[in-house]
Amino acid sequence: MGIQPRRLRTSRRKQMGRPLNKRFFAKADVGPTATGEEIKVSFHNGSGVKEGFIVRQKGSKRFVCSALGADDTEHTCTLATGKLPAALAAGEMAISFKMDDGETYTVSKIAGRKVTLSAPSSTGSNAYDGKSVPWNFTASVVDGAAQVEEAGDDDIEVGTDDDDFTDDA
């Protein structure tokens, strides 16, 4: 009897890839802050579509979200691909990006440094549909990076301090 090689354990769970940095999240009971850059999301909480922010990441396409405003309830949502925020179903979420062509895109995949864009409608040029590009919070028309909506600097539902990209319905 010789020494048997040790078997490597393989996880049945899919690897998340490069998760998002926690600095892009906010606490559900505090909300976005003036000193942070928190990602703004749209999600369906079971009764309707709400604007909010990410509290934590659970997988490559699963996030815990909370609505802007007094509601600090957490909702686990799955990233929906190619849907306008108004068309989200219960448990789905969308993250909006603006690209150099001036179009608003949703995301089919987001990682620490890159995002894969998805055109939520056939309106516009949709030149970046299906493309993987770097992302940031800075508006620019020539940097080749997608700009993500920022949740603002306070936990107010209707505010002027957050980015609000127009859906190209």
Side-chain angles (χ1 to χ4, degrees):
M1 247 194 276
I3 297 176
Q4 295 291 324
R6 204 170 108 189
R7 287 188 162 190
L8 296 175
R9 288 186 190 179
T10 57
S11 174
R12 290 181 187 252
R13 284 193 260 172
K14 255 182 146 174
Q15 290 296 325
M16 192 176 349
R18 183 178 295 273
L20 295 175
N21 192 310
K22 292 177 186 174
R23 74 175 180 253
F24 301 131
F25 306 158
K27 293 180 180 177
D29 59 343
V30 176
T33 61
T35 58
E37 290 182 316
E38 295 90 1
I39 297 173
K40 181 177 175 182
V41 300
S42 296
F43 69 96
H44 195 296
N45 68 357
S47 60
V49 176
K50 301 288 184 184
E51 287 186 344
F53 52 91
I54 299 172
V55 176
R56 65 183 166 278
Q57 186 171 5
K58 295 191 67 103
S60 61
K61 294 186 178 196
R62 289 177 37 94
F63 297 87
V64 175
C65 303
S66 185
L68 288 168
D71 181 15
D72 60 356
T73 307
E74 296 180 0
H75 304 273
T76 301
C77 301
T78 303
L79 203 55
T81 302
K83 283 188 175 183
L84 289 168
L88 295 172
E92 291 182 331
M93 66 175 282
I95 304 172
S96 295
F97 286 84
K98 188 157 293 228
M99 199 52 204
D100 293 349
D101 63 353
E103 296 291 325
T104 300
Y105 295 87
T106 58
V107 59
S108 62
K109 182 179 177 184
I110 185 168
R113 295 189 179 114
K114 288 212 156 203
V115 65
T116 302
L117 300 173
S118 176
S121 72
S122 59
T123 304
S125 67
N126 297 326
Y128 291 93
D129 186 29
K131 303 266 196 268
S132 179
V133 297
W135 66 273
N136 58 42
F137 287 91
T138 309
S140 173
V141 292
V142 292
D143 65 355
Q147 178 193 1
V148 67
E149 279 186 306
E150 205 271 329
D153 61 10
D154 54 31
D155 198 15
I156 305 299
E157 185 174 2
V158 179
T160 58
D161 57 358
D162 59 332
D163 291 333
D164 197 16
F165 299 159
T166 304
D167 298 330
D168 63 343

